[in-house]
Amino acid sequence: MRWLALLLTVVLTAAACARFDDRLDDPFTPAPPPGMGAAPPSSPPDQSPPTSEPGESPPPPEQGPCVDPDPAVIATCLDPVRAVTGLGERALVAEASGAVSVVAIDAPPEDFGRVDPGDGRVVAAAASPDYAEDRLVYVLVVGDGPSRVERLARGDSPTTVAELPPASTGGLVFVDEVLTVAAGSEVVRFPDFSGIGRAERPDVVTRDVGEVHGLCTHGEDLYMSALTERGVVARTPDHVVWTWPDQQSVGGCAATDSTLSLALPDSMRVDSLPMAGGASRGQPQPVVEEDYGRITGLAAVGDGVLLGGTTNKGGGSPVETDDRVVVLPNSGDGGGDART
């Protein structure tokens, strides 16, 4: 039996000296904290390593033919934008080719609908006074036979509600809820029109005031931008507010509590005139000059923030993202950056 005792002694000695790897019994043991000398875990199979290290610059912003790096640009790759009109904090944008959309400073543009301008172009747009309920938009088409006002509902075909004499310029607004239209050198209103049927029996507001290129309102006050033999004028139906004798092109206008602004496309400029009581109270000052090319459409939204629509494809020097809708700098009645 001596050999058996010797065998047991060998086995017990080997057991006392053995080391067992118990890592598989506790595979999720936390890694030691930094500085303890532990190596970082390897990447799982088929997983790429991180592409950036702490302190590296973030990835570049989105790029593409219709992505403008200027944060003031809120809509891009449009046809020439002759018509921009306020819609509360948002705006309606009508392209010359007939597309109508809703734009906002902090949201992507939304398609609204389209009219067919034929061989003419859309030069003005306005939301119904009851837009919150009826969701109707009106646009003015000129340059293709009689000037016509088209009523458009989202997702529906447009309906002609009024025809006026042929013209190449014009404007469209609601003044105290009354449809008011300029065609060429005449401005008329349709007091009997309530949004149903045809707009008929127009009253003449004013005529022979030059080629009207835009109508705008503040409260019940009506203003217009026009091109005359004396140059560009900003006026009411009764009197001239200001004249730019050195200018031979004009776009839309926009009125706020304290300013009346005009687009001057050939000078690539928008001027704002300080106002009080319907009269000027100082010299016009440029809001923007040359930064975006030919600004033609113009509107005030929210607390007096100006939006401009460009027409660089219609005679300017377009960039890759033209034509555009732009938030104009320092245009709020409260001053400062219009986007803050």
Side-chain angles (χ1 to χ4, degrees):
M1 299 295 293
R2 184 178 179 183
W3 64 271
L4 181 57
L6 181 59
L7 178 62
L8 288 174
T9 299
V10 173
V11 171
L12 290 175
T13 301
C17 297
R19 292 185 302 168
F20 294 94
D21 189 349
D22 59 356
R23 285 177 295 174
L24 295 178
D25 294 334
D26 188 15
F28 301 110
T29 302
M36 297 300 291
S42 59
S43 299
D46 301 325
Q47 179 173 316
S48 299
T51 57
S52 63
E53 295 293 335
E56 287 187 0
S57 300
E62 181 183 359
Q63 297 181 350
C66 291
V67 178
D68 197 295
D70 188 336
V73 175
I74 60 175
T76 60
C77 293
L78 307 174
D79 286 330
V81 178
R82 296 181 177 272
V84 184
T85 186
L87 190 63
E89 298 291 331
R90 302 180 296 167
L92 283 171
V93 172
E95 301 169 50
S97 57
V100 179
S101 58
V102 178
V103 302
I105 292 175
D106 55 358
E110 301 175 13
D111 291 337
F112 185 89
R114 177 178 289 275
V115 300
D116 181 7
D119 292 329
R121 62 183 183 275
V122 172
V123 294
S128 161
D130 299 317
Y131 180 84
E133 288 78 32
D134 61 28
R135 291 294 194 269
L136 295 177
V137 168
Y138 297 83
V139 299
L140 175 64
V141 178
V142 301
D144 183 28
S147 304
R148 64 184 192 273
V149 178
E150 301 277 351
R151 181 177 58 212
L152 182 62
R154 190 187 292 268
D156 202 357
S157 298
T159 301
T160 301
V161 299
E163 290 189 352
L164 296 95
S168 58
T169 65
L172 173 68
V173 292
F174 283 88
V175 183
D176 196 21
E177 300 191 357
V178 176
L179 177 63
T180 305
V181 186
S185 63
E186 185 175 73
V187 182
V188 300
R189 62 197 295 269
F190 296 90
D192 298 332
F193 179 66
S194 61
I196 301 173
R198 298 271 297 190
E200 299 177 331
R201 297 180 292 278
D203 291 340
V204 175
V205 176
T206 188
R207 55 165 54 107
D208 299 328
V209 291
E211 287 188 347
V212 178
H213 286 247
L215 298 179
C216 56
T217 63
H218 181 68
E220 297 180 5
D221 295 328
L222 173 65
Y223 299 96
M224 61 194 75
S225 55
L227 181 61
T228 72
E229 294 179 353
R230 296 178 296 166
V232 168
V233 299
R235 60 171 299 144
T236 72
D238 302 320
H239 66 276
V240 172
V241 176
W242 198 266
T243 302
W244 286 259
D246 61 331
Q247 298 295 317
Q248 295 300 314
S249 72
V250 66
C253 62
T256 70
D257 282 334
S258 59
T259 62
L260 176 63
S261 300
L262 260 70
L264 303 168
D266 284 355
S267 292
M268 298 183 287
R269 197 171 88 219
V270 172
D271 279 5
S272 281
L273 187 67
M275 298 284 291
S280 63
R281 289 294 182 265
Q283 300 282 332
Q285 298 295 325
V287 173
V288 65
E289 194 168 8
E290 297 188 358
D291 292 342
Y292 301 103
R294 293 172 52 87
I295 294 178
T296 301
L298 197 64
V301 301
D303 294 327
V305 173
L306 290 180
L307 299 184
T310 69
T311 54
N312 291 316
K313 291 179 180 176
S317 300
V319 298
E320 188 176 28
T321 54
D322 273 327
D323 272 302
R324 298 169 285 176
V325 178
V326 183
V327 181
L328 301 185
N330 302 315
S331 59
D333 276 347
D337 190 337
R339 292 181 63 83
T340 62

